[in-house]
Amino acid sequence: MPVIKTIGLMGAMDEEIALLLQVMEGNEEIKHAGVSFVTGTLHNSKVVVCRSGVGKVNAAATTQILIDRFNVDAIWFTGVAGAVHPDLNIGDIVISSSCQQHDIDASPLGYEKGVIPYQEVSDYPADPRFVALAQEACALKCSDHHYIVGKVLSGDQFVADYHYVALLRETMNGACVEMEGAAVAQVCYMNQIPYVVLRSMSDKADGTADVNFAEFTVMASNRSYQIINEMLERLPTVQN
């Protein structure tokens, strides 16, 4: 792996990046396109931390800014998601093997759901070295919770329907569902930037999210922060 000089650390909500901002050193805030980008260092790694906002358009635009304006060499997206895999419970972790949009549907044109017409790739693989790094971090920091490597599904809707969750699992082999990861993954793929998405389960995407989401988002975000922090500590081991 080429030496990673600058890592973009993204979350969709303030809660998902709050702890990262608290522990960074040498913070400098730069606003661009309405997004606040904070540059600094964590564990001797240069990082740019930002809140993209919710949804695929916000995530895609912010990712491209990180690449073009801040010259990041890698992007790690962290935050919460709804569990799709039946073995996942609240607090468990999904490390992205890949990301795909679940709300792309050109089936009248003969394409499978989730396939973007006229493109060779619609399911974007995460960088295997970052996936392995995240697994090592989870093994240390998530001993009291389950973690898996699986496909992250993204769409511009908050999924809270048991039947749709079952469909996503059966037809797209999803592990969790959220609203940004596949957009980040696609832009990274287009720019040849390695990425990984880390999601901590805040709900089970089954209609109880109105009860679970607010209660568990802070807890889940804290767990994601612990993983990111450990990954940054271990980053030099994958660059040698």
Side-chain angles (χ1 to χ4, degrees), residues 9-10 61 109 117 125 133 137 139-140 144 150 154 156 159 166 176 200 219 223:
L9 301 178
M10 298 176 64
L109 300 178
L133 195 65
L140 283 177
D144 57 338
S154 307
D156 284 320
V159 175
C176 69
S200 185
M219 180 201 73
R223 193 173 304 278

Side-chain angles (χ1 to χ4, degrees), residues 152-170:
V152 174
L153 298 178
S154 307
D156 284 320
Q157 61 192 95
F158 193 102
V159 175
D161 180 83
Y162 173 81
H163 299 290
Y164 190 56
V165 168
L167 182 67
L168 292 178
R169 181 63 185 163
E170 292 168 6

Side-chain angles (χ1 to χ4, degrees), residues 172-224:
M172 300 187 70
N173 195 32
C176 69
V177 62
E178 38 89 296
M179 301 177 71
E180 296 84 26
V184 173
Q186 182 175 346
V187 174
C188 285
Y189 178 85
M190 294 167 67
N191 288 273
Q192 298 182 316
I193 297 293
Y195 87 92
V196 71
V197 172
L198 305 168
R199 290 291 188 177
S200 185
M201 302 303 102
S202 61
D203 62 89
K204 293 183 71 87
D206 58 1
T208 61
D210 58 331
V211 176
N212 293 338
F213 187 77
E215 180 180 354
F216 288 99
T217 292
V218 173
M219 180 201 73
S221 297
N222 289 349
R223 193 173 304 278
S224 295

Side-chain angles (χ1 to χ4, degrees), residues 76-149:
W76 299 351
F77 196 104
T78 179
V80 298
V84 172
H85 194 291
D87 292 342
L88 290 171
N89 291 305
I90 292 171
D92 290 345
I93 301 292
V94 172
I95 304 164
S96 64
S97 57
S98 66
C99 294
Q100 187 173 9
Q101 298 178 61
H102 67 79
D103 60 349
I104 288 286
D105 189 356
S107 54
L109 300 178
Y111 294 91
E112 293 183 3
K113 183 178 175 64
V115 172
I116 304 171
Y118 318 120
Q119 290 193 189
E120 293 183 0
V121 178
S122 298
D123 186 4
Y124 302 98
D127 187 277
R129 293 154 295 191
F130 292 160
V131 171
L133 195 65
Q135 287 179 282
E136 292 175 7
C138 284
L140 283 177
K141 298 298 181 180
C142 303
S143 58
D144 57 338
H145 281 82
H146 185 50
Y147 63 90
I148 65 171
V149 177

Side-chain angles (χ1 to χ4, degrees), residues 42-43 45 141 228-237:
L42 271 172
H43 298 294
S45 291
K141 298 298 181 180
I228 289 287
N229 196 52
E230 185 66 28
M231 288 174 67
L232 287 169
E233 284 197 70
R234 290 172 170 267
L235 182 63
T237 65

